[in-house]
Amino acid sequence: MAAHPGARDGAEFAATAAGARPAATSPHPATDQSPLILSGATVVLPTGTVKDGRVIVDGTRIVGSAPENAQVIDVTNHWLVPGFVDIHNHGGGGASFTSGTVDDVLKGIRTHQSHGTTTLVASTVTGDMDFLAQRAGLLSELAEQGDIAGIHFEGPFISPCRKGAHAENLLRHPDPAEVRKLVDAARGQAKMVTLATELPGGIDSVRLLTEQGVIAAIGHTDATYEQTVEAIDAGATVATHLFNAMPQIGHRAPGPIAALLEDERITVELINDGTHLHPAALQLAFHHAAAPRVAFITDAMDAAGFGDGRYLLGPLEVEVSEGVARLVEGGSIAGSTLTLDRAFKRAVTVDRLPVEDVVAAISANPARLLGMSDRIGTLEPGKDADLVLLDHQFDLKGVMRRGEWVVDPQLG
């Protein structure tokens, strides 16, 4: 396999000393979580990319030295990268996180896990406040069990001018008392709320969320440049799917995009499916925000990993044709059918981004936003054994979550 530029030679892993590797045994994983050495891959670490490296797994964690009874799996000519972290995802596998049963939600989670997403925040769409509070209760139980990493409320506190695939009759101003109602209903599991911060109550709600340790995200907004700067100064730290559902950049009225790209306090979400963004827009974001400030998301809806057809996104009917989701009425793009393995491959093979930058955007950066970088997002001893195995063409060949194979290694 051709090494990625900047890759280093040697069987190294983090603080693990280089040296001769044990002879490879069975290419198939153990089923009892016995210690494993994944050997021979190109491994993407926080310190750089290592050729002919190894990752050692003991139980649910990555470790720095190999137990004597470790099984060796030879993954030569593959890449090992951290498990993907999706902070904006509405469903998959035919199931909705907004309206499905617990079993439906679990089905959607498993669908995305099979595509490399080992950590997922469940996103809702605009609905009645009481209904959203009820959904928050259901989703918070799954978060407490560790099935999801928390809840993202996208709506109802968004602009009717930039509503996208949200029901206009259910939109409302971001009154801090109502924002607090949803946060409280999530029982400590609210991770992010998307707001049109220019609306009445928007800035006060940003301050409230910041005080509560919840990410205030600017999105579905008609804000000016100046209004966006005010929201960032109040504590907003994320741009919800940058470029989408917000005014375009103008040379006299630069709008929110310019403010979000230029401020180092903001992490920008990008949907890299080839539909939501022109490749030049993606490059613009990486150029101005730089890799440490980009988070790849799916914004996936029910059809992700499932197929074309008719679906509901909240109360709105969606037609998915050739993998593109649009509202039946009006034709607005309605989320995506993206999975993060496809976003990864596109970023490297089409957009020609460095693998290390893609790994940061799809794993390390969203983990940091969630306050979980001590556990996930990078391949380091002590962290959860969440990893993705890719072949030399960046096709997914295996997924491990907390030391268990979600997708068994396919090594040919």
Side-chain angles (χ1 to χ4, degrees):
M1 179 185 66
H4 184 266
R8 303 197 306 274
D9 292 322
E12 304 176 22
F13 174 69
T16 304
R21 299 188 308 277
T25 57
S26 168
H28 301 291
T31 58
D32 58 357
Q33 284 195 288
S34 59
L36 293 176
I37 301 173
L38 301 172
S39 176
T42 300
V43 184
V44 181
L45 304 174
T47 53
T49 299
V50 178
K51 291 175 55 181
D52 193 23
R54 62 179 185 172
V55 174
I56 305 167
V57 176
D58 193 357
T60 63
R61 299 298 178 95
I62 297 168
V63 297
S65 58
E68 291 183 1
N69 63 333
Q71 176 189 2
V72 180
I73 301 178
D74 186 353
V75 289
T76 301
N77 294 331
H78 289 73
W79 291 80
L80 275 175
V81 300
F84 307 148
V85 181
D86 193 353
I87 61 172
H88 187 156
N89 187 316
H90 297 279
S96 168
F97 298 151
T98 297
S99 58
T101 65
V102 169
D103 286 344
D104 290 335
V105 175
L106 291 172
K107 179 182 179 183
I109 293 166
R110 287 192 294 269
T111 296
H112 285 282
Q113 287 177 351
S114 71
H115 290 275
T117 298
T118 52
T119 301
L120 180 149
V121 173
S123 301
T124 62
V125 297
T126 293
D128 175 85
M129 285 292 292
D130 289 337
F131 174 77
L132 289 175
Q134 180 186 36
R135 292 302 297 177
L138 180 149
L139 293 171
S140 66
E141 292 183 11
L142 294 175
E144 290 160 2
Q145 294 169 190
D147 295 304
I148 59 174
I151 306 166
H152 163 219
F153 296 103
E154 186 182 22
F157 311 114
I158 61 175
S159 172
C161 301
R162 305 288 174 177
K163 65 182 184 298
H166 291 256
E168 185 169 356
N169 64 309
L170 296 173
L171 301 181
R172 56 184 62 223
H173 292 161
D175 182 325
E178 296 207 316
V179 173
R180 180 64 180 265
K181 177 181 178 179
L182 290 187
V183 171
D184 288 347
R187 304 200 305 261
Q189 301 301 328
K191 294 297 183 182
M192 184 162 67
V193 179
T194 292
L195 306 164
T197 54
E198 76 278 8
L199 295 176
I203 298 301
D204 287 340
S205 289
V206 169
R207 295 192 181 104
L208 167 70
L209 292 169
T210 302
E211 290 169 0
Q212 295 293 314
V214 179
I215 297 167
I218 300 172
H220 288 276
T221 177
D222 204 39
T224 64
Y225 174 90
E226 291 77 14
Q227 288 170 328
T228 305
V229 169
E230 183 184 8
I232 297 169
D233 287 341
T237 56
V238 167
T240 295
H241 44 53
L242 186 74
F243 299 109
N244 292 280
M246 59 183 64
Q248 298 178 359
I249 296 175
H251 64 289
R252 293 192 183 93
I257 295 172
L260 295 164
L261 281 175
E262 73 182 9
D263 199 299
E264 294 183 354
R265 294 170 290 182
I266 292 292
T267 298
V268 299
E269 295 182 348
L270 298 177
I271 309 171
N272 192 24
D273 62 353
T275 297
H276 282 79
L277 297 176
H278 189 282
L282 183 88
Q283 294 290 347
L284 179 70
F286 267 89
H287 177 75
H288 286 278
R293 290 180 46 218
V294 173
F296 280 139
I297 62 164
T298 60
D299 194 17
M301 46 80 71
D302 311 17
F306 199 67
D308 290 353
R310 288 280 180 109
Y311 298 84
L312 287 176
L313 186 60
L316 302 180
E317 192 171 14
V318 175
E319 177 76 30
V320 178
S321 177
E322 297 182 350
V324 177
R326 293 185 179 276
L327 290 182
V328 171
E329 185 176 343
S332 293
I333 293 177
S336 85
T337 63
L338 186 64
T339 52
L340 283 182
D341 58 332
R342 287 169 45 210
F344 191 111
K345 180 172 181 174
R346 180 180 177 85
V348 177
T349 62
V350 176
D351 302 307
R352 301 295 179 183
L353 294 172
V355 174
E356 295 87 352
D357 288 354
V358 178
V359 168
I362 213 163
S363 301
N365 298 344
R368 171 182 48 78
L369 280 172
L370 295 175
M372 299 177 68
S373 56
D374 60 328
R375 287 181 43 208
I376 62 171
T378 56
L379 299 178
E380 296 178 274
K383 294 194 176 183
D384 289 352
D386 293 352
L387 56 86
V388 175
L389 183 69
L390 305 167
D391 67 13
H392 67 285
Q393 295 179 315
F394 299 97
D395 290 317
L396 186 144
K397 294 298 178 180
V399 181
M400 177 180 285
R401 183 175 187 264
R402 298 178 187 171
E404 295 187 350
W405 291 106
V406 177
V407 176
D408 287 346
Q410 302 166 44
L411 303 175

